[in-house]
Amino acid sequence: MVNFLRPVSRTGTLSDGVFNTLLLEILSGRWPANEAAPSERDLAAELNVTRHVVREALKRLQQAGLVRISQGGKTMVLDWRTHAGLDMGFALIDAGVVPLADIFRDTAVLRRTVGVDAVRLCALKANDDQLAAVTAAAAAYPHTGTLQEFEDAELRLWTAIMIGSGNVAYQLALNTLMRSIEEVGAVMVQGLNAEALTNRGGQVELATAITNRDADTAVALAYVLLSELVDVFGPGD
């Protein structure tokens, strides 16, 4: 089961290299779900690393929901479809399991779904300080600048909206999404929704509807803004 593995390159962090190698085996299906993973001893020999390095990589895979480690027993491979989180999305691209366009579109749809509801909740539930933060973020939105400056401004505005929604899970989802984008390479998605990013009027209008507690208008505006990235990869839903 392990003879297709190659020694891990010594460039970069050795622990990360082992983790990424084993992650690819799981996501690609070369390690079938619901079967035992190779032993630490076998993996260490195949990858030319110590068992400690393998053990640390397996612990990270367990934290990611991809294996279950039993003390003194076998390490079982789990099905990523029922155990992995959003942060595994872009790793599926590297494994050749899901096309890049599908991951980006599905992530954009999730972003829109969560964002629209967060806007609704923020308009209905945010306290005065939270609404003031939304207003301040919108007021600071640049009229002109680099694409990175617009992206930073949008993130500040949406972070304020997520906090104002009172939904911690939405904030965590935003954090996970941003971390995943950084891992896959922000340059790959930069500018895909440039029209919405540079639309200061639309962003300010959204913030105004929220602070006026006009949830219906805010939801409609958010849907339009967040649909641009969805539509890049196909017709909007």
Side-chain angles (χ1 to χ4, degrees):
M1 185 176 186
V2 297
N3 57 5
F4 45 76
L5 295 177
R6 297 179 180 178
V8 175
S9 170
R10 299 295 170 173
T11 60
T13 303
L14 185 59
S15 177
D16 288 343
V18 173
F19 171 78
N20 290 329
T21 296
L22 302 187
L23 175 64
L24 185 61
E25 300 309 300
I26 293 173
L27 296 183
S28 66
R30 288 194 290 268
W31 284 11
N34 304 313
E35 293 189 12
S39 69
E40 289 181 6
R41 184 187 304 277
D42 288 342
L43 287 172
E46 287 290 333
L47 298 172
N48 192 28
V49 297
T50 66
R51 291 182 64 178
H52 173 75
V53 171
V54 171
R55 191 174 300 119
E56 289 302 309
L58 290 173
K59 287 180 180 178
R60 289 177 61 184
L61 290 172
Q62 179 170 248
Q63 292 170 351
L66 296 174
V67 300
R68 180 179 294 116
I69 301 173
S70 300
Q71 292 296 330
K74 296 180 179 180
T75 295
M76 298 301 297
V77 179
L78 303 178
D79 190 337
W80 65 264
R81 295 170 183 81
T82 55
H83 292 83
L86 179 62
D87 51 343
M88 286 292 106
F90 292 110
L92 292 169
I93 298 172
D94 292 335
V97 177
V98 181
L100 182 145
D102 288 359
I103 284 289
F104 279 138
R105 174 176 167 76
D106 291 350
T107 302
V109 170
L110 175 62
R111 174 177 179 259
R112 182 179 64 187
T113 301
V114 170
V116 165
D117 196 51
V119 161
R120 178 185 65 83
L121 291 173
C122 188
L124 295 175
K125 298 175 59 177
N127 60 38
D128 290 343
D129 288 343
Q130 291 167 339
L131 291 179
V134 172
T135 299
Y141 210 92
H143 291 271
T144 60
T146 66
L147 197 56
Q148 185 62 57
E149 289 171 335
F150 280 112
E151 289 178 347
D152 292 343
E154 187 203 40
L155 179 58
R156 286 192 294 270
L157 175 58
W158 279 96
T159 296
I161 291 170
M162 293 294 177
I163 293 173
S165 76
N167 190 310
V168 175
Y170 284 173
Q171 180 62 54
L172 295 177
L174 176 63
N175 294 342
T176 301
L177 174 61
M178 296 310 299
R179 185 168 61 250
S180 297
I181 289 174
E182 287 300 322
E183 289 176 357
V184 75
V187 69
M188 293 180 65
V189 296
Q190 192 172 49
L192 290 180
N193 60 332
E195 184 175 342
L197 279 175
T198 57
N199 180 8
R200 184 181 191 277
Q203 304 287 352
V204 172
E205 188 178 6
L206 170 62
T208 300
I210 291 172
T211 54
N212 287 339
R213 297 197 182 278
D214 184 351
D216 290 342
T217 298
V219 163
L221 291 169
Y223 188 90
V224 171
L225 286 171
L226 297 176
S227 287
E228 181 178 331
L229 191 56
V230 176
D231 295 343
V232 167
F233 301 101
D237 295 333

